[in-house]
Amino acid sequence: MSRAFRVIVLISGRGSNMMSLVENAQDYEVISVISDNAQAAGLSYAKGKGIPAKAFDRSEFENRKAQRKAIFDYVQSLKPDLIALAGFMQIVDAAIVDSIYGKLINIHPALLPAYPGLHTHERALAAKDKFHGCTVHFVDSGVDTGPIIAQGKVAIEESDSEDSLAARILKIEHQIYPWCCNTIAKGELRLVDRKVNFSEKAALEAEKRGFITP
Ligand code: GRF
């Protein structure tokens, strides 16, 4: 049997996307869960599943840059095929991103390029948008600007609050993120420069699941 496709998941807190990545791993294996916060709830879940989980707490480092360097040195030492940011609340330094471009992906709770950064649900509601959603993308050196892999879209209802909207989108996040990882692991999705190419089979599958692909 060929070697498993190795995925590392980086978290900072709750870790519900990480859990979904673990539970829906078909064509990849989550080999490690890493957090920049020793209190992250997701760490105990990973340990309970027998997945090596490690915290690089801010308190152990002089500054955040040093913390990120230690995290990514460790990540690289594990020789992953893919690194999935899942609620990892730091902007990865350009030099690090450049050295792993194409292997680093993120999930963002908005229909990028709309609403990069924080408070996306609040901003979509304030703008009275008709639609909102989530995006899985390759990470480049900008903030939430990397090549888009797939998006999940929901209609905003008049009765929506930030919480109801966030909950509806989170459900889609939990489906789309593992689907993207499985698709990458199967080699059905490739990044060429800044362009994401899907196999015909994967593009059809995305459509069937209601995901938008480039
Ligand atoms: C998710 O909404 C994700 O899109 C964003 O941060 C949140 C993390 O939630 N990047 P969780 O820790 O995965 O539950």
Side-chain angles (χ1 to χ4, degrees):
M1 212 187 103
S2 61
R3 149 190 180 288
F5 189 90
R6 297 157 67 82
V7 176
I8 296 178
V9 187
L10 265 58
I11 63 170
S12 294
R14 183 175 60 178
S16 71
N17 274 290
M18 176 273 292
M19 293 175 202
S20 184
L21 286 172
V22 169
E23 275 154 28
N24 296 292
Q26 285 165 356
D27 299 285
Y28 61 88
E29 190 184 332
V30 176
I31 59 154
S32 180
V33 171
I34 297 169
S35 173
D36 62 350
N37 161 21
Q39 307 307 319
L43 285 172
S44 45
Y45 166 90
K47 284 182 189 148
K49 290 276 175 187
I51 300 169
K54 199 169 161 63
F56 290 76
D57 199 71
R58 170 71 182 86
S59 59
E60 297 163 32
F61 298 91
E62 206 169 304
N63 53 46
R64 286 207 175 271
K65 195 172 167 70
Q67 182 190 24
R68 285 192 297 273
K69 181 172 181 334
I71 291 175
F72 281 91
D73 281 352
Y74 179 67
V75 163
Q76 302 260 45
S77 77
L78 299 177
K79 303 207 179 316
D81 296 300
L82 189 67
I83 304 147
L85 306 181
F88 182 69
M89 299 304 287
Q90 296 204 39
I91 294 166
V92 185
D93 314 67
I96 297 176
V97 171
D98 289 347
S99 70
I100 49 177
Y101 181 68
K103 275 193 179 181
L104 183 63
I105 62 174
N106 180 42
I107 186 155
H108 181 74
L111 293 171
L112 291 171
Y115 309 124
L118 298 174
H119 311 298
T120 57
H121 307 313
E122 185 187 326
R123 287 152 71 198
L125 284 172
K128 302 206 180 308
D129 287 351
K130 291 201 161 50
F131 297 98
H132 190 37
C134 57
T135 303
V136 179
H137 64 95
F138 285 101
V139 177
D140 68 5
S141 54
V143 177
D144 302 321
T145 52
I148 291 174
I149 301 171
Q151 295 184 306
K153 190 171 175 180
V154 300
I156 299 184
E157 313 287 342
E158 247 176 65
S159 57
D160 263 325
S161 63
E162 249 179 78
D163 285 352
S164 66
L165 191 54
R168 213 153 65 248
I169 291 171
L170 194 64
K171 264 196 202 157
I172 302 178
E173 292 186 34
H174 293 165
Q175 297 162 11
I176 200 168
Y177 211 12
W179 182 79
C180 288
C181 289
N182 282 313
T183 305
I184 293 171
K186 282 189 285 196
E188 306 250 357
L189 182 174
R190 284 178 202 286
L191 177 68
V192 182
D193 298 326
R194 289 192 59 86
K195 194 167 163 21
V196 174
N197 295 320
F198 279 87
S199 70
E200 212 172 302
K201 185 169 159 239
L204 279 171
E205 226 184 90
E207 201 182 315
K208 247 180 31 202
R209 289 168 187 257
F211 303 151
I212 303 159
T213 53

